[in-house]
Amino acid sequence: MEAEGVLVPLSLSAEFEGSFAYLTVRDRLPTILTKVIDTLHRNKDNFFKEYGKDGIQAEKTAISFLSKLRNELQTDKPVLSLTDNAEDSEAWNEYMRRQQDLMEDGKLVSWFKSPWLYVECYMYRRIQEALYMNPPMDKFDVFKGQKTQSFFESQQAIKLLCTYLQDLITNMENLTEIQLRDNFLKLLQVSLWGNKCDLSISAGQDNSQKSSPIDSLPDLQRFILVDDSSMVWSTLVAAQGVGSSGMKHARVDIILDNAGFELISDLVLADFLVSAGLAKQIRFHGKSIPWFVSDVTKQDFEWTIMQTIAANHKWMSASGVQWKHFMKEGTWSYHDHFFWTLPHEFCDMAVDAADLYSTLQGSDLILFKGDLNYRKLTGDRKWEHTVPFDQALRGFQPAPLCSLRTLKADVQVGLQPGQAEKLSSQDPDWMTNGRYAVVQFSSPCREP
Ligand code: F6P
Ligand code: MG
């Protein structure tokens, strides 16, 4: 494939035996499907209590659909069109035709032969199809239990972080510009490392935050492979006071990733941005269906704020009350768009979700959380590690943007020559073991 005269590398795929994509499709995805089936089994009595015989029937049909899906995956069957007539079904089916056109020698699009990004997203969408096709279960979140558990397992870290935030807010007026910047950088890093806590890399096993989020930062610093956070700060500062009234009006968009501790770390950062006057508006973007086990849905977002308010801890509860207030007055808002749960690379957004692209163009800074967003930003391709981040974005530049990501998939761009080689010799799994992270920034070129 070619774009602007530059060769675009191949997509990561399970067709490369032994690769991380291959191991994920072979091992991790079937494990996740098995857990989903178990969850439905375990909820059988609840379905009966709520919906009577219809509930039991729906549970049975959904389980047989999911067992069949697991078999299709494990035996590398061709992927099937979606039949649930949901808002996004046609977009999925159209994307499948696109993938089919890219196949060589008349091969069919299948689990082990197609791009990993596509088939992994497709699995989560097929799980949703099993539920859509079996009302009254269409609103059931098969991952809710795991997300809830991960939130409660991180309680200690959440309390410490909320205490830190409230202390900071109380003293905000006395902070010098340098102290403000230092605290911003700290909370940005907490939000970065919060991304360690996702549940799909661990196939749903406990992955919660146990240690003190602020105290751990100095030890983690050396694991940040690219750190563009000073550019993020300059962007925020430059966005101050540019409104026609001269008022501060910076808008920050946060493309959320995981629920649990990571979401709390994002809310704390967002609170700091508003309380410090660095942003006037925060728009959170979440998923419209349960996704990659731990990703945030609207229900998770609202539940998290309510749980934070209800906590038996003064500063945690005070934080939750403030967040509810931000939501109520519109300083914060939650948005979902079905593009976030499509398999597209983000360079497709301007054409395939033009409304979302133009909404993002109104932002002063977009923070993309997590690994999956990074894979979509870079197209999940076999880029050379020294290729600049801007180049891997392939024209996706709605506004200044920054990826905050711990590495859990074998795509990484924007490194210095020799950096990847050194890492490979020290820690062969550096791209997938979640120990390393990047803060990578890109800004659209403005006309002079
Ligand atoms: O395979 C591991 C994986 O499921 C990746 O596909 C995905 O990128 C990652 O875990 C999820 O991580 P995150 O929650 O940071 O997007
Ligand atoms: Mg996630």
Side-chain angles (χ1 to χ4, degrees):
M1 208 194 296
E2 216 159 338
E4 294 168 6
V6 180
L7 270 185
V8 178
L10 291 175
S11 302
L12 300 175
S13 165
E15 75 177 308
F16 304 109
E17 249 180 75
S19 66
F20 188 68
Y22 172 81
L23 297 174
T24 298
V25 177
R26 191 192 67 180
D27 303 331
R28 196 147 359 95
L29 300 191
T31 306
I32 288 172
L33 278 176
T34 303
K35 282 213 165 137
V36 171
I37 292 170
D38 285 351
T39 303
L40 293 183
H41 257 309
R42 273 188 286 107
N43 276 279
K44 196 172 174 177
D45 290 348
N46 295 335
F47 295 138
F48 182 69
K49 268 189 222 140
E50 244 181 282
Y51 310 111
K53 276 196 194 128
D54 288 352
I56 296 286
Q57 189 50 46
E59 181 248 15
K60 260 196 192 160
T61 324
I63 287 183
S64 96
F65 181 103
L66 292 166
S67 308
K68 197 168 152 282
L69 174 65
R70 185 177 51 192
N71 184 269
E72 288 164 22
L73 184 164
Q74 289 179 313
T75 54
D76 193 23
K77 292 281 184 305
V79 303
L80 305 173
S81 304
L82 295 177
T83 57
D84 51 21
N85 288 324
E87 188 190 15
D88 60 346
S89 309
E90 184 41 34
W92 274 97
N93 294 340
E94 194 272 326
Y95 198 78
M96 178 176 141
R97 293 191 287 274
R98 253 190 245 183
Q99 289 299 326
Q100 189 54 60
D101 290 344
L102 295 174
M103 297 298 284
E104 285 170 359
D105 310 328
K107 280 192 219 148
L108 291 175
V109 181
S110 71
W111 293 88
F112 284 78
K113 295 193 190 73
S114 300
W116 172 35
L117 178 61
Y118 169 52
V119 296
E120 193 170 22
C121 292
Y122 173 78
M123 181 190 83
Y124 288 95
R125 182 57 181 81
R126 287 288 303 278
I127 294 174
Q128 193 57 30
E129 185 184 30
L131 302 177
Y132 279 157
M133 300 294 276
N134 289 289
M137 286 174 51
D138 48 344
K139 300 262 173 343
F140 185 70
D141 181 344
V142 284
F143 303 123
K144 181 70 193 159
Q146 284 156 277
K147 289 185 271 194
T148 305
Q149 194 184 345
S150 135
F151 175 83
F152 287 119
E153 276 161 358
S154 305
Q155 283 301 288
Q156 196 48 30
I158 295 175
K159 286 175 188 166
L160 288 168
L161 188 56
C162 288
T163 307
Y164 183 85
L165 172 72
Q166 294 305 325
D167 190 44
L168 200 55
I169 292 175
T170 314
N171 292 309
M172 197 75 89
E173 285 188 356
N174 305 323
L175 294 185
T176 63
E177 169 98 13
I178 292 179
Q179 288 168 326
L180 204 62
R181 180 179 186 273
D182 286 350
N183 277 297
F184 165 73
L185 296 178
K186 269 190 196 164
L187 293 179
L188 192 74
Q189 285 194 8
V190 172
S191 166
L192 168 69
W193 291 113
N195 181 245
K196 264 186 184 235
C197 310
D198 93 278
L199 293 169
S200 81
I201 189 86
S202 57
Q205 294 298 315
D206 172 21
N207 213 1
S208 52
Q209 173 79 26
K210 304 269 179 346
S211 51
S212 161
I214 298 282
D215 295 349
S216 327
L217 295 179
D219 289 343
L220 291 170
Q221 183 69 47
R222 70 195 170 95
F223 294 103
I224 304 181
L225 304 179
V226 178
D227 188 358
D228 291 339
S229 41
S230 58
M231 289 188 235
V232 182
W233 171 256
S234 323
T235 302
L236 275 172
V237 171
Q240 305 298 306
V242 288
S244 48
S245 59
M247 298 282 286
K248 294 179 181 180
H249 80 303
R251 170 182 138 193
V252 175
D253 286 60
I254 304 183
I255 318 302
L256 295 169
D257 186 1
N258 302 305
F261 180 78
E262 180 169 359
L263 175 58
I264 294 286
S265 70
D266 300 333
L267 297 173
V268 166
L269 175 65
D271 187 337
F272 175 80
L273 289 176
V274 173
S275 303
L278 290 161
K280 191 124 194 255
Q281 203 195 346
I282 309 275
R283 293 167 61 96
F284 296 98
H285 300 260
K287 307 296 193 294
S288 42
I289 58 173
W291 194 245
F292 278 68
V293 187
S294 38
D295 285 18
V296 178
T297 62
K298 184 164 195 265
Q299 203 203 17
D300 299 324
F301 188 86
E302 289 168 353
W303 181 90
T304 302
I305 294 183
M306 291 320 287
Q307 287 298 321
T308 310
I309 294 174
N312 188 14
H313 182 271
K314 187 177 172 190
W315 302 124
M316 190 172 159
S317 181
S319 304
V321 170
Q322 180 61 59
W323 301 343
K324 189 173 173 199
H325 177 71
F326 283 147
M327 290 298 289
K328 202 163 165 225
E329 68 177 10
T331 305
W332 285 9
S333 52
Y334 178 91
H335 306 264
D336 49 26
H337 190 290
F338 70 72
F339 185 80
W340 301 121
T341 46
L342 288 177
H344 298 55
E345 305 170 42
F346 288 159
C347 63
D348 294 339
M349 189 193 287
V351 170
D352 291 318
D355 57 333
L356 179 60
Y357 194 83
S358 80
T359 304
L360 293 180
Q361 283 179 310
S363 186
D364 293 294
L365 173 67
I366 314 173
L367 299 176
F368 282 91
K369 294 297 317 282
D371 192 68
L372 180 61
N373 277 327
Y374 191 83
R375 291 173 59 193
K376 289 184 166 191
L377 285 165
T378 57
D380 210 35
R381 291 171 179 276
K382 294 178 148 207
W383 294 105
E384 297 284 336
H385 298 305
T386 49
V387 159
F389 184 44
D390 281 350
Q391 185 182 326
L393 291 173
R394 296 175 63 208
F396 177 72
Q397 287 194 316
L401 65 88
C402 178
S403 164
L404 299 170
R405 171 242 187 175
T406 60
L407 279 63
K408 298 174 223 159
D410 44 6
V411 53
Q412 183 57 56
V413 297
L415 298 187
Q416 296 300 317
Q419 197 176 0
E421 290 74 10
K422 193 165 165 212
L423 284 160
S424 298
S425 70
Q426 290 167 346
D427 187 350
D429 296 329
W430 64 277
M431 274 195 284
T432 54
N433 60 18
R435 291 180 72 193
Y436 298 86
V438 290
V439 179
Q440 261 175 321
F441 178 81
S442 168
S443 191
C445 307
R446 305 238 179 259
E447 294 297 322

